[in-house]
Amino acid sequence: MSRIMVRGGNRLEGTVEVSGSKNSTLPIMAACLLSSKPCVLNRVPDIEDIRVMEGVLRELGAGVERYGDTLVIDGSSVDSWELSDDLTRKMRASNLVMGALIGRFGCARVAYPGGCAIGSRPMDLHIKGFHKLGCEVYEAHGYMEAKSQGLNGCEILLDFPSVGATENIMMAAARAKGVTVIRNAAREPEIVDLQNFLNRMGARIRGTGLGTIRIEGVGELGGVTYDVIPDRIEAGTFMVAAGITRGDIVLENVVSEHLEPIIAKLKETGVEIMKCNGGLRVLGKRPLRPVDLKTLPFPGFPTDMQPQMMALLSLAQGTSMIVETVFENRFMHVDELRRMGADIAIEGRAAIIKGKPHLTGAVVEATDLRAGAALVLAALRAEGETFIGNAHHIYRGYEDIENKLKQLGAEIFRVD
Ligand code: EPZ
């Protein structure tokens, strides 16, 4: 297993370019299955989760070629609507092909993605949506199998604004007969990006980002060339890096509207953030103030930035509280931060963080992607050396993270 070593204490300074969004690229890659024409995706990050999704599309028969940060996906040769469990277990987001397969072929058979470190991650909202569109859905032997004699538009109310369920239903409904309306839909920027991609293919979708999405089904969808949006969570992670190291970092390739909840909360801690030549400049000069935060679906504070904020608040001058409302088990990083000297108490879905003047390097383990990112951030400030095990979790979602941090002045090394 790969490990990362960080020698803490350096202020990070300089410019970093944010990569394309993992959580936008994954559903858009799945959406390419809706067309029998090739699609060209630009600004695709070179990270493990994208490579897994490339394998998923190839297993279904699609052609997938990578040229630098460009992916060419040819859905004309897709000859299967069944996905084995080794791939869906490897990455939950593989289940996003289900909506596209149902939209294209009227059926799909995908193994249950299973839970992961942060929660059980059920699929009930996805299945309910497929059922409403006219699919018979059977769940047996660890698989979800959806079959239909043709999809018909309908009204769907999501109990929870699930990102994946919204995306899967959008992709299936894009090829249904008639109009589908999804209420209480997720409003994340990645959903808007998926709408823009599908509409570029010839779909007729509107309302993403506003909570109610209207999808008018069409017969065919064409091939397109498309640039995915920047990764707002990678951007937020580097913004915290500036705050935690008292650094001065300019982020390029960002969409500040996507970062509003993160910017607002970081400013409350005393981190200075200003627009700079189309990007953002982040200054961690002042001592950090404690803040309270609650994770919520967009436009609330993103759960994918919760571990990173906890690392930052471990060094604030006072007591902060974080409430995690989206996932039931997203505090796996707490034990590891405690090993570095953080003073954190868990009360159900709330974490009480008593800020300390410093953290110390230790041997820690990454338990999931964003927990791993939080440990890197804490290690950048901690006194001495930190060894982070199971670093493969981090490589799932952060492109070239060691070099990007090294260029900012961090002492960080991969220790295989
Ligand atoms: C997406 O996961 C993201 N992944 C996650 O990012 C992110 O944390 C999450 O949305 C929330 O913003 C990708 O986009 C690939 P959900 P997703 O369906 O779609 C419950 C990262 O670090 N739920 O919005 O799986 C579920 O249990 C990853 O990049 C149901 O109950 O998230 C959870 O509590 C981690 N039934 C909540 O909704 C369902 O059918 C949010 O899940 C579906 C979900």
Side-chain angles (χ1 to χ4, degrees), residues 20 25 40-45 67 69-71 225-229:
T25 302
V40 179
L41 308 181
N42 297 315
R43 306 199 74 97
V44 172
Y67 306 95
D69 72 354
T70 293
L71 271 187
T225 295
Y226 193 79
D227 293 4
V228 299
I229 56 172

Side-chain angles (χ1 to χ4, degrees), residues 22-23 26 92-93 96 118 120-126 160-165 167 188 303-304 326-328 330 369-370:
K22 166 177 83 78
N23 291 349
L26 290 168
R92 171 183 171 78
L96 290 171
I118 61 177
S120 62
R121 317 289 296 271
M123 292 286 293
D124 56 309
L125 300 177
H126 301 241
F160 179 88
S162 155
V163 170
E167 292 166 341
E188 275 69 6
T303 175
D304 290 350
V326 176
F327 288 107
E328 70 267 27
R330 199 169 201 170
L369 167 57
R370 306 304 175 181

Side-chain angles (χ1 to χ4, degrees), residues 44-104:
V44 172
D46 184 13
I47 53 178
E48 185 55 24
D49 273 11
I50 299 301
R51 287 190 282 271
V52 171
M53 186 59 110
E54 289 175 35
V56 166
L57 299 186
R58 288 192 185 101
E59 178 170 305
L60 295 168
V64 182
E65 298 296 335
R66 179 183 271 270
Y67 306 95
D69 72 354
T70 293
L71 271 187
V72 179
I73 296 169
D74 180 358
S76 63
S77 49
V78 174
D79 55 9
S80 165
W81 42 269
E82 183 166 341
L83 199 56
S84 59
D85 67 349
D86 58 331
L87 280 167
T88 45
R89 279 188 174 282
K90 213 171 180 181
M91 181 183 67
R92 171 183 171 78
S94 315
N95 74 71
L96 290 171
V97 301
M98 210 166 173
L101 291 171
I102 291 169
R104 172 114 179 245

